[in-house]
Amino acid sequence: MFGIETLGGTSQAAALVGLVFVEAMVLYVGYGVLESVLGPAVMKLLGGE
Amino acid sequence: MFELFGIPATMLVMFAGFGLLIGILFGFFGMGGSFLVTPALLVMGYPSRVAVGSGLAFVFGTSVIATLKHRDLGQVDYKLGVSMIIGTTVGLEVGKEIVLYLEELGLAGNIISITYVLLLGGIGAFVTYEALKGDSGGGVSHDVDEDAEIDADDIPEIAKKIQSYSLPPMLTLRGGIQVSLWMILAVAFATGLLSGFLGVGGGFIRMPALFYLIGVPVPIAVGTDLFEIMFSGGIGSFLYAQSGGVDLSIVAPLLAGSALGARVGSAATSIVDEDEIKIYFGLMLLLGALAVAVRQAGNYLGMGVLDYVSLALILGSALMVAGAVVYSALKSMRAGTTGTTPTAD
């Protein structure tokens, strides 16, 4: 997956951990933006206002 | 069948959904959610090294996100954290070697499962007991008080004993406490060993260990714990990835779901009283222990159907507690009331 199969054992391991790290950063930023944009509207909706 | 990056859509949805449940639990309780990943993967028939390695990679990703959230709280003792990382790394390596050795003998699944049953069952019984007793204790909350200062009366007796061993070099930690580096390394090694062996971040062991064994104030223990989990999770998943133990098709959707769930769970902490839910959390851990035990019994008796019972127990218990959190939050919002639980994550 993501073309990392061609790398050697140690490089592949480092690439895998790096990918998980990048995904975590992207998720943190992405969901943060989503929360700030949609959060108040969702809270209003769920709160029955 | 629809696939993304070679992964069937059904698997993506299933892992993302499971991640969402785990994220809600982690965001709300600050611990425990990732503890269900490795047993669930074992029950689903993944080899031990993949279950443990992918569990660690998931813990790494989750802790990166949690650490980003806590980076401004200033509650990390870096001197302690780096010392812990050294001891933990050695412990992780030894734990991994034990898993690989047991795998060669064909015993890894059994022994990891039994250890899980004992640990999950023990912690679950403790949390349930404390919840029934009505105390606020039980479990390891990541709720923090930035202004907390260390008080000699607050240091547990065992920690005082450990602090009394003045084997040089001595380290002065935040809060003014002095501890032998060797004691810190020993505690770090023990928690790293469990992390490497069980595929967990080790926070549920390390946080109380920092407080009860070393005497670190709770807020500093929480911050240092998160910092440490990021490294131990990263190093652990790297070590397992070298042996082909990290499966991105498991980790990526789990992380995507859990990051979203963690936001829902942490938002709920400001609305719902944690003590109301704690008994469900204890029961979930007990059901998790039962699930692993049922799977082991199924293997022993050659009854494949028990694997499904076990998986249903794990997913069902996570769903029950996450559902209780969301339901209570919605109920409180509709009633226009607010809880008192402070938010840490």
Side-chain angles (χ1 to χ4, degrees):
Chain A
M1 192 165 47
F2 303 106
I4 58 175
E5 295 83 354
T6 52
L7 298 173
T10 304
S11 311
Q12 194 180 45
L16 272 171
V17 177
L19 275 172
V20 174
F21 182 78
V22 169
E23 187 193 355
M25 299 285 279
V26 169
L27 289 171
Y28 177 72
V29 174
Y31 283 143
V33 171
L34 263 182
E35 188 176 298
S36 60
V37 172
L38 300 176
V42 172
M43 292 294 266
K44 266 189 182 176
L45 188 74
L46 294 178
E49 289 177 33
Chain B
M1 186 190 288
F2 176 72
E3 291 188 354
L4 188 66
F5 299 118
I7 311 163
T10 47
M11 292 292 279
L12 280 174
V13 171
M14 188 187 70
F15 281 126
F18 188 41
L20 184 75
L21 295 180
I22 290 170
I24 292 173
L25 300 175
F26 181 79
F28 190 78
F29 294 104
M31 66 158 277
S34 54
F35 207 53
L36 294 169
V37 172
T38 300
L41 294 177
L42 283 171
V43 164
M44 290 168 74
Y46 283 97
S48 300
R49 77 174 70 188
V50 175
V52 177
S54 300
L56 276 171
F58 170 69
V59 164
F60 167 64
T62 309
S63 64
V64 167
I65 295 170
T67 306
L68 282 169
K69 284 184 178 177
H70 284 78
R71 70 189 186 281
D72 294 329
L73 291 174
Q75 292 166 337
V76 179
D77 188 321
Y78 291 101
K79 204 193 295 177
L80 174 64
V82 171
S83 310
M84 292 287 290
I85 287 166
I86 296 167
T88 304
T89 308
V90 180
L92 273 168
E93 179 65 34
V94 175
K96 186 203 79 173
E97 290 301 326
I98 293 173
V99 170
L100 295 182
Y101 176 69
L102 290 174
E103 209 169 48
E104 271 179 29
L105 298 179
L107 296 171
N110 286 345
I111 294 181
I112 291 173
S113 297
I114 290 167
T115 313
Y116 257 110
V117 170
L118 294 176
L119 262 176
L120 270 180
I123 298 170
F126 177 71
V127 173
T128 309
Y129 172 74
E130 291 291 328
L132 286 173
K133 219 169 65 173
D135 287 358
S136 59
V140 180
S141 174
H142 277 207
D143 293 343
V144 292
D145 175 5
E146 284 179 64
D147 300 323
E149 286 182 6
I150 193 154
D151 184 328
D153 293 339
D154 291 339
I155 301 176
E157 287 304 316
I158 308 170
K160 283 180 186 165
K161 182 80 180 163
I162 286 180
Q163 286 176 15
S164 72
Y165 294 116
S166 50
L167 189 66
M170 298 295 286
L171 284 187
T172 305
L173 306 176
R174 288 182 65 172
I177 48 175
Q178 281 210 322
V179 188
S180 167
L181 175 65
W182 300 108
M183 291 297 156
I184 295 172
L185 291 177
V187 171
F189 175 80
T191 55
L193 188 70
L194 272 174
S195 290
F197 187 62
L198 296 176
V200 293
F204 71 99
I205 309 162
R206 195 177 302 109
M207 220 290 281
L210 283 171
F211 174 66
Y212 285 109
L213 300 181
I214 299 182
V216 177
V218 170
I220 308 295
V222 171
T224 308
D225 176 34
L226 281 170
F227 174 74
E228 159 84 55
I229 291 174
M230 195 171 75
F231 281 90
S232 60
I235 294 165
S237 45
F238 175 74
L239 293 173
Y240 272 93
Q242 285 179 312
S243 332
V246 174
D247 188 339
L248 263 190
S249 67
I250 298 169
V251 180
L254 267 180
L255 197 54
S258 79
L260 179 62
R263 286 187 180 267
V264 174
S266 64
T269 56
S270 60
I271 305 168
V272 181
D273 185 356
E274 185 181 344
D275 289 338
E276 283 179 16
I277 309 287
K278 197 164 264 173
I279 189 163
Y280 292 106
F281 185 63
L283 288 174
M284 180 187 72
L285 296 180
L286 283 173
L287 286 171
L290 180 65
V292 180
V294 165
R295 175 181 167 273
Q296 281 308 110
N299 286 349
Y300 183 73
L301 300 170
M303 292 171 67
V305 69
L306 289 183
D307 276 358
Y308 294 101
V309 174
S310 173
L311 189 59
L313 274 171
I314 288 183
L315 293 178
S317 58
L319 188 64
M320 172 190 77
V321 186
V325 169
V326 172
Y327 175 76
S328 297
L330 286 176
K331 207 172 74 173
S332 298
M333 284 169 71
R334 300 250 173 197
T337 56
T338 54
T340 53
T341 309
T343 305
D345 282 306

